[in-house]
Amino acid sequence: MRLSKYFLPTLKENPAEAQIVSHRLMLRAGMIRQTSAGIYTWLPLGFAVLRRIEQIVREEQEKAGAVELLMPTIQSADLWRETGRYDAYGPEMLRITDRHEREMLYGPTNEDMITDLFRQSVKSYRDLPLNLFHIQWKFRDEVRPRFGVMRGREFLMKDAYSFDVSAEAARRSYNRMFVSYLRTFERMGLTAIPMAAETGPIGGDLSHEFIILAETGESEVFLHSDLLALPAPGPEVSYDDDLAPVIRRWTDLYAATSDVHDAARFEAEVPEAKRMRARGIEVGQTFYFGTKYSKPMNAAVAMPDGTQAPIEGGSYGIGVSRLVGAIIEASHDDNGIVWPEPVAPFKVGLINLKSGDKDTDAACEDAYAKLTAAGVSVLYDDTDERAGGKFSNMDLIGLPWQLVIGPRGLKSGTVELKNRKSGERSEMTAEAALKKLTS
RNA sequence: CGGGGCGUAGCGCAGCCUGGUAGCGCAUCUGCUUUGGGAGCAGAGGGUCGGGUGUUCGAAUCACCCCGCCCCGACCA
């Protein structure tokens, strides 16, 4: 992508309304613009990151056996009445009346709808286990939206729903999602710790919040510090295996949000030197809720002996749009964002230090063409901005690599390659730089 | 929802107390000079001062009402 043909309205100054670093940087880097409280337009750069995160989530869900579909954002109130949640959910649910005076709502979550789909279509234990997910916009009318996309009213969420014939089987489904969450966050360069959590309006008796530690986090958490060093399961993990030992390794050590924190247990189980109290951002939550939805909605399947059994359910959310902010909270410096490569909107920022100079233009065009041909995503700053502005902007938007080409270096046959994260800069031939970026 | 704050050019702000020609920096546009970490000079454009009502000869400024946004707290992917 050539910057001259892109849409990247960056800001030099901090917008007054943005208090925390991810919100500030997202506005300044031209990733989002607010349209009203807690509601944002995703500009091209932000949208590119959102899609990369979404894709990682999708891939890891599919590896764990979940199947993607897409449910609507607008739902009928009738379904929610059936589960008793229409009244229970309260004013956070955005309620809408259509032209026929039918009561509708903008979905804050989809347990009711997916259970309805399930009961219409699945009748036999033979079709289970089943795990369906979608990645769709949600709306929760938060009392106080804040922190940019970290706590918006409209947000993109991946929600998966598992259906099983027994509590034991449901637990296996839960474990698969648990492991896939560890994998998902690991791939984004995040250390997410599963913690015992409250179940809230979703219900159920088993739940974990996946939390990344950050000073600006909204949750207070208590944990055994060894959890921070626990390696996530690798890409070779098999979801057909018994995953209980992995779960045990992650849940044996104490970790809880303040809602369910048990100070006595914390002190008994964790040696003093390992007791950690911190703040964190919740990026995902898993629930096992048994028959909470299947019973009131009559979602049952025929068992081998011919009897009907209500299905055992679980649901599993990941805040996809929140992750964009959370990753920035975890990865930035004074100059701007530092994208982990797997979620970066472009891998390389190509800086032409002197647009209009024949040799520099030619060298940049050549590098741009070769990188693009090799499948490397490049944002080529071909504008006639001054060099200083280009450097600052490129640091701000945080692409992992900067390839800097100017007349001075070309004279001695070199270009400069800068690693955004380490700040390390090295001069080398264009060939060497391209080789490094494409390998 | 309780408490606090803020709305003036695209962004950051001053002016308001004490009513009288709407200002500054950055950004934008034009020209010249510059050109390797947010350049200099000269010029230009851009505003229903969040909205309404009132007070007044006169309102960005005073009063009342409304709307929007932000922060702290209680609540949540």
Side-chain angles (χ1 to χ4, degrees), chain A residues 33-50:
Chain A
R33 284 290 182 273
Q34 182 173 117
T35 62
S36 60
I39 304 179
Y40 294 85
T41 291
W42 290 79
L43 306 186
L45 193 76
F47 190 43
V49 175
L50 189 68

Side-chain angles (χ1 to χ4, degrees), chain A residues 325-390:
Chain A
I327 290 169
I328 295 171
E329 289 293 328
S331 185
H332 67 271
D333 62 21
D334 289 347
N335 296 323
I337 301 168
V338 180
W339 288 117
E341 210 163 305
V343 300
F346 298 91
K347 178 177 177 178
V348 179
L350 172 59
I351 297 181
N352 182 331
L353 285 177
K354 194 167 183 179
S355 296
D357 177 80
K358 216 174 73 184
D359 293 341
T360 310
D361 286 351
C364 287
E365 289 295 337
D366 185 60
Y368 181 56
K370 284 178 176 157
L371 286 169
T372 303
V376 176
S377 60
V378 184
L379 182 62
Y380 170 26
D381 190 343
D382 58 339
T383 64
D384 45 20
E385 183 85 14
R386 303 170 61 81
K390 291 187 177 185

Side-chain angles (χ1 to χ4, degrees), chain A residues 201-236:
Chain A
I202 309 285
D205 55 9
L206 172 64
S207 179
H208 289 91
E209 287 184 9
F210 286 71
I211 289 189
I212 64 172
L213 300 187
E215 281 174 24
T216 45
E218 293 194 79
S219 322
E220 188 179 22
V221 299
F222 300 84
L223 66 151
H224 191 302
S225 60
D226 284 1
L227 279 166
L228 292 173
L230 210 54
E236 71 291 343

Side-chain angles (χ1 to χ4, degrees), chain A residues 45-278:
Chain A
L45 193 76
F47 190 43
V49 175
L50 189 68
R51 280 190 309 204
R52 292 210 71 189
I53 292 173
E54 180 182 333
Q55 185 55 24
I56 291 174
V57 170
R58 175 176 290 118
E59 286 170 14
E60 293 303 322
Q61 288 291 291
E62 289 178 342
K63 280 181 199 160
V67 181
E68 187 171 17
L69 48 68
L70 183 61
M71 288 177 273
T73 54
I74 305 289
Q75 308 186 23
S76 159
D78 294 347
L79 278 176
W80 287 68
R81 290 221 171 80
E82 223 179 307
T83 54
R85 289 215 291 175
Y86 192 63
D87 297 320
Y89 215 92
E92 290 214 348
M93 188 151 73
L94 181 66
R95 292 152 210 260
I96 305 166
T97 308
D98 73 8
R99 67 193 301 164
H100 301 293
E101 298 292 315
R102 282 186 290 242
E103 291 178 80
M104 314 292 284
L105 57 99
Y106 196 114
T109 178
N110 285 63
E111 281 84 2
D112 317 77
M113 184 174 272
I114 194 101
T115 305
D116 181 53
L117 174 73
F118 180 90
R119 70 181 170 183
Q120 290 175 34
S121 322
V122 180
K123 305 293 184 188
S124 163
Y125 75 95
R126 294 185 192 188
D127 296 323
L128 303 185
L130 182 64
N131 186 326
L132 300 172
F133 78 100
H134 75 338
I135 299 173
Q136 176 64 291
W137 292 92
K138 304 291 190 291
F139 195 93
R140 294 185 190 173
D141 200 358
E142 298 278 348
V143 200
R144 177 149 97 90
R146 66 190 119 161
F147 302 155
V149 300
M150 300 260 286
R151 179 74 173 266
R153 291 194 292 170
E154 186 182 60
F155 59 96
L156 186 61
M157 179 167 107
K158 184 284 299 180
D159 39 325
Y161 303 90
S162 66
F163 304 91
D164 285 280
V165 288
S166 68
E168 297 71 44
R171 184 59 205 245
R172 286 193 291 275
S173 292
Y174 186 90
N175 290 352
R176 279 194 289 275
M177 285 292 108
F178 190 105
V179 169
S180 95
Y181 275 28
L182 292 174
R183 288 283 315 129
T184 301
F185 299 127
E186 193 270 341
R187 276 187 64 184
M188 296 172 190
L190 294 172
T191 303
I193 315 282
M195 305 200 184
E198 274 194 328
T199 53
I202 309 285
D205 55 9
L206 172 64
S207 179
H208 289 91
E209 287 184 9
F210 286 71
I211 289 189
I212 64 172
L213 300 187
E215 281 174 24
T216 45
E218 293 194 79
S219 322
E220 188 179 22
V221 299
F222 300 84
L223 66 151
H224 191 302
S225 60
D226 284 1
L227 279 166
L228 292 173
L230 210 54
E236 71 291 343
V237 67
S238 164
Y239 288 97
D240 296 327
D241 292 351
D242 179 14
L243 298 171
V246 183
I247 310 302
R248 232 174 285 126
R249 197 177 317 138
W250 280 89
T251 52
D252 275 355
L253 295 173
Y254 188 95
T257 62
S258 57
D259 302 335
V260 297
H261 177 57
D262 178 343
R265 240 195 81 202
F266 189 47
E267 282 169 31
E269 291 181 16
V270 185
E272 193 166 356
K274 307 254 183 189
R275 280 180 215 151
M276 215 177 143
R277 175 186 183 154

